[in-house]
Amino acid sequence: MLSHTLKDGRNIKGFFALFDVLGYSKMIESMKDNLEGLIDIYTNTLMDIDDLALSLEGHNKLLLLAPIETKSFVFSDTIVLYQDMPKGPVALQAPTINVFLGEACYLLRLAFERGIPLRGAVSYGDYYIQEDRGCFIGYPVIEAHNIESKQNWSGATICKSAWDKLYSLHNESTRMEGEWRGFDLRGFFSPLNNPLWVKYPIPYESSNINGIALCWHDVILDFMCLNKISGISTNDFGQYVREKFEAHGKTIDNNDDKTKKKIENTAAFLGIMQTQYSLLKKSLSGEL
């Protein structure tokens, strides 16, 4: 019988992000006789990672613009971020979305730096949660799970439901009327004006499909003014990614073509994004 101390569930209309740790089962298998070692890895990698991502290093000034905070739930190798969107105009919803996407991008980057590459997806819609039991029910949950599990890299994409929401808010923003200190507010609150996502051929198991990828290269550090993680300092993205995939005693078999392809796809994305971002920064600073 269920305890009467459990809190009631509630309905949410908002964003839902699901992330899984790549290589987690292999790590468990390789350390099946070393429980203390597994506990140590968990303590230093997964235990606090969702809290750190949501706090954005504890000095997230942008959070003041988001009237509803993001919450999280972690079970085994799965991390969930969820957020009930504020009711009201796009001026309230757009900053909330920006913060949510920033937290998701930082989670990806922070986890990667800790040697636990993540794969995820962001959806949107109506769903039910019972936080005491880690219960999440609804189409956004299924959509995020289906899209996440089919990707062939360490990275995350925005599902159709979430993109439709972003685009509808963009249309609402462009229809705005008004001026503030001589500035035309039309389009100002558009969530499409965000450097934390990019149109990209998302690698799936069968083929690449044009979609929207979350940006977790150095742009997330600069955009959110984060400094507890160093920027990527190498041009050998293949080696950089492989080291993260092999962290914590994980080994990649020479015949493990699936993992090798994930590494290749991840390195390709990071290489393109990081190179483009470096050129942009040099251009803006007048170095080019």
Side-chain angles (χ1 to χ4, degrees), residues 21 24 27-28 31 34-52 73-79 114-116 248:
V21 179
Y24 191 77
M27 184 176 68
I28 297 294
M31 302 183 68
N34 185 8
L35 180 59
E36 293 302 318
L38 283 173
I39 294 173
D40 184 63
I41 291 174
Y42 167 79
T43 301
N44 291 293
T45 58
L46 274 173
M47 188 172 71
D48 63 346
I49 198 165
D50 56 323
D51 292 333
L52 289 174
F73 180 82
V74 180
F75 174 74
S76 186
D77 63 338
T78 299
I79 303 171
R114 290 186 173 193
I116 47 173
H248 311 300

Side-chain angles (χ1 to χ4, degrees), residues 117-246:
L118 300 181
R119 182 181 61 197
V122 179
S123 58
Y124 176 85
D126 295 294
Y127 55 99
Y128 170 87
I129 66 171
Q130 192 169 19
E131 289 162 297
D132 282 9
R133 297 181 64 82
C135 173
F136 300 88
I137 302 174
Y139 178 73
V141 180
I142 298 301
E143 183 187 27
H145 169 71
N146 288 341
I147 296 298
E148 176 274 319
S149 62
K150 294 175 182 176
Q151 293 172 77
N152 201 27
W153 66 345
S154 176
T157 187
I158 295 178
C159 301
K160 182 181 184 303
S161 61
W163 174 252
D164 288 345
K165 176 61 177 178
L166 296 179
Y167 202 77
S168 68
L169 288 177
H170 166 74
N171 289 337
E172 183 180 340
S173 179
T174 56
R175 290 194 301 266
M176 287 182 64
E177 295 183 2
E179 197 175 90
W180 182 73
R181 295 184 179 179
F183 186 82
D184 187 354
L185 293 179
R186 284 178 297 180
F188 181 75
F189 294 103
S190 171
L192 300 191
N193 299 329
N194 194 317
L196 298 183
W197 61 259
V198 64
K199 293 182 179 180
Y200 189 81
I202 309 297
Y204 288 87
E205 293 177 357
S206 56
S207 62
N208 292 356
I209 300 176
N210 290 332
I212 310 297
L214 293 186
C215 295
W216 50 281
H217 54 290
D218 284 356
V219 66
I220 180 60
L221 306 182
D222 294 338
F223 185 68
M224 291 295 187
C225 301
L226 306 172
N227 55 31
K228 291 187 178 180
I229 292 180
S230 300
I232 299 174
S233 58
T234 180
N235 291 322
D236 190 348
F237 295 100
Q239 181 61 29
Y240 170 72
V241 171
R242 187 181 181 93
E243 288 174 357
K244 302 304 180 182
F245 270 74
E246 290 183 325

